[in-house]
Amino acid sequence: MKFDPASSIQDLLQFGEFGDVNPSITDSATYTFMEAKTMVGTFEGDEEGCFLYSRHWNPSNKYLADALAAMEGTPAAWVTASGMAAITTTILQLCNAGDHLVSSITTYGGTFAFLSNYLKKFNIEVSFVDITKLDEVEKAIKPNTKMIYTESMTNPMLQISDLPALADISNKHNIKLVVDNTFTPMMIAPAKLGAHIVVYSITKFINGKNDCVAGAVCGDEDFIASMADVNTGSAMLLGPVLDPLRSSSIHKNLHTLHIRMKQHSHNALFLAGKFKEAGLRIVYPGLEDHPGHELMKKQMNPDFGFGGMIAIDLETSERANELMEKMQKEGVGYLAVSLGYFKTLFSNSGKSTSSEVPDEVQKEMGLSEGLIRFSVGLDHDIERTWEKIQLCLKALKFI
Ligand code: PLP
């Protein structure tokens, strides 16, 4: 039977202390123990279901983590105060000083900066590869390699990672495959395709309201427990805990994610087709000429479409800026970074969310300086939106 992330969430019975239809919010930093010996046991990690201190676990965060684990089909999950916290604590949990990892060269700019600049402090070496070239990935593995890192759909190039093939390579070398699934929740279920750990910026589609920053790590019980270990856990010791009030509002938003993803995908496919018809260079995995189209079809859950992200290439950043400013004036959406919002957002990737990537690396990964990345919103009438965009393109004589 097909994996159905939306029904997995729906089937969870998570209600509050007084039968509330939404789980109760636990607004406490610390918890009482009726018996001192239970506290000792909790520190030693052998008391199931006992809460100790909210940096360790919080009941509201646990509800959200359980719902995300259900969505992902993983035995466990952990929530963090940002997507970067999820990524960095996962990497630091898996890699020690002197280790090595292999990463896709196209990733979110913050991830790229962490991998290429910050990990140097710990003498953790990173080899960047074109993740679509599987032989390049395997060749980069060394005796001290601990993991392969990729994004299911890469930011901002929208390449598709072949997750079953990358999982095979990882298993062959006894290393972990860590996948950032921020662009493709529900559409792609990386753990079901062989990934060992799935990370998210919840800030984006999962929350969908642009009112907070949050993240998640989904994996097996042992890995999640290792992150929470009071002596050696990167999540416990670095402390990027999500506030429980936020966690409970994200939890409610998660229940509408399946409907939102369908509408984001529907609108993005429509706009991608129109950009193409207008003769612009367009990147969208839902179009047949996208190099990852067939692979995406093999890996995706078709109920949710090809996603809400598209990119157009206007060749120069000047042209990209002119169009973005005009689109904002005409009410197409906002000139802003981030994604997964109910309104359309657009930004010039090379000068914003990928600006951490040096120019020569941007060239190497094929990132044009005129690339505009769109996170297509939930517009009810997307034809009307296209009319506005067309007006802008014509006014600037780009079509
Ligand atoms: N992963 C991807 C693919 C992203 O696009 C981003 C942010 O833009 C992040 C991770 C980082 O997430 P956060 O901003 O929630 O820390």
Side-chain angles (χ1 to χ4, degrees):
M1 213 173 61
K2 183 175 91 179
F3 177 60
D4 179 351
S7 300
S8 300
I9 297 174
Q10 195 184 336
D11 286 349
L12 283 177
L13 285 181
Q14 296 178 306
F15 43 83
E17 218 180 331
F18 303 101
D20 338 10
V21 293
N22 289 310
S24 315
I25 300 172
T26 302
D27 195 20
S28 282
T30 193
Y31 303 83
T32 50
F33 285 81
M34 295 307 151
E35 291 180 55
K37 71 171 185 340
T38 323
M39 184 184 275
V40 177
T42 308
F43 265 95
E44 285 167 0
D46 53 27
E47 291 292 337
E48 276 286 308
C50 257
F51 291 95
L52 172 70
Y53 183 63
S54 276
R55 172 159 45 78
H56 182 245
W57 257 127
N58 172 289
S60 299
N61 290 2
K62 181 85 172 87
Y63 285 124
L64 175 60
D66 287 349
L68 291 166
M71 173 176 94
E72 231 27 65
T74 53
W78 180 269
V79 291
T80 55
S82 70
M84 280 312 291
I87 294 165
T88 56
T89 52
T90 296
I91 293 172
L92 293 174
Q93 194 65 32
L94 289 174
C95 297
N96 292 321
D99 285 341
H100 168 257
L101 67 96
V102 178
S103 172
S104 165
I105 194 164
T106 65
T107 59
Y108 161 59
T111 307
F112 180 84
F114 179 75
L115 295 172
S116 65
N117 309 332
Y118 205 89
L119 283 181
K120 283 194 181 127
K121 287 188 185 202
F122 304 103
N123 191 25
I124 298 171
E125 195 203 345
V126 183
S127 299
F128 291 102
V129 294
D130 177 342
I131 205 69
T132 62
K133 301 207 169 106
L134 295 169
D135 51 339
E136 216 180 282
V137 176
E138 186 153 19
K139 251 195 246 147
I141 294 174
K142 303 180 183 191
N144 59 340
T145 306
K146 288 288 155 33
M147 58 186 269
I148 298 175
Y149 184 88
T150 192
E151 296 173 352
S152 312
M153 184 186 283
T154 67
N155 182 2
M157 303 304 293
L158 312 184
Q159 291 166 307
I160 306 300
S161 296
D162 187 338
L163 300 179
L166 292 168
D168 283 348
I169 297 174
S170 308
N171 291 332
K172 186 169 145 199
H173 294 272
N174 203 17
I175 59 177
K176 301 286 183 209
L177 174 62
V178 179
V179 177
D180 180 338
N181 201 39
T182 299
F183 278 22
T184 46
M186 294 197 165
M187 250 172 270
I188 294 182
K192 293 283 168 194
L193 297 167
H196 303 100
I197 296 157
V198 186
V199 290
Y200 276 106
S201 167
I202 290 184
T203 317
K204 320 291 169 163
F205 290 104
I206 292 182
N207 187 48
K209 303 292 182 292
N210 240 305
D211 52 6
C212 72
V213 173
V217 182
C218 304
D220 64 25
E221 302 271 9
D222 283 351
F223 183 69
I224 299 302
S226 76
M227 292 190 70
D229 188 282
V230 293
N231 291 303
T232 55
S234 56
M236 178 62 181
L237 299 176
L238 297 175
V241 69
L242 179 60
D243 183 86
L245 298 178
R246 269 302 174 205
S247 179
S248 84
S249 77
I250 295 167
H251 189 233
K252 288 180 281 248
N253 293 336
L254 178 67
H255 285 271
T256 58
L257 178 63
H258 58 297
I259 304 170
R260 291 187 277 112
M261 285 324 297
K262 288 180 193 183
Q263 186 71 10
H264 282 299
S265 293
H266 170 270
N267 286 352
L269 183 62
F270 180 87
L271 288 188
K274 291 293 178 193
F275 277 124
K276 192 173 170 193
E277 264 171 47
L280 291 172
R281 284 183 60 197
I282 157 94
V283 185
Y284 184 62
L287 296 179
E288 278 175 18
D289 58 7
H290 185 282
H293 179 70
E294 288 304 321
L295 179 60
M296 174 96 184
K297 278 208 314 207
K298 268 207 286 186
Q299 299 192 137
M300 72 195 271
N301 185 330
D303 292 356
F304 304 105
F306 290 90
M309 304 302 296
I310 59 181
I312 63 168
D313 181 4
L314 291 179
E315 281 148 36
T316 66
S317 57
E318 289 73 26
R319 278 161 58 92
N321 291 345
E322 278 180 80
L323 181 65
M324 292 190 300
E325 285 171 12
K326 181 91 182 136
M327 287 194 299
Q328 178 158 260
K329 273 199 204 106
E330 297 300 333
V332 174
Y334 296 132
L335 198 179
V337 296
S338 206
L339 54 122
Y341 188 38
F342 46 76
K343 290 231 183 199
T344 296
L345 303 177
F346 34 83
S347 55
N348 177 213
S349 300
K351 303 279 177 224
S352 58
T353 49
S354 294
S355 59
E356 298 89 340
V357 181
D359 286 350
E360 64 282 5
V361 182
Q362 291 194 16
K363 279 210 185 80
E364 194 186 323
M365 63 197 232
L367 171 52
S368 152
E369 65 160 277
L371 192 94
I372 302 179
R373 188 192 72 181
F374 286 74
S375 166
V376 181
L378 298 176
D379 311 25
H380 171 62
D381 184 350
I382 195 66
E383 289 189 30
R384 178 171 159 266
T385 306
W386 170 247
E387 279 160 23
K388 290 183 191 172
I389 298 175
Q390 208 178 11
L391 197 126
C392 300
L393 288 165
K394 283 186 176 155
L396 295 168
K397 304 203 171 7
F398 290 171
I399 57 171

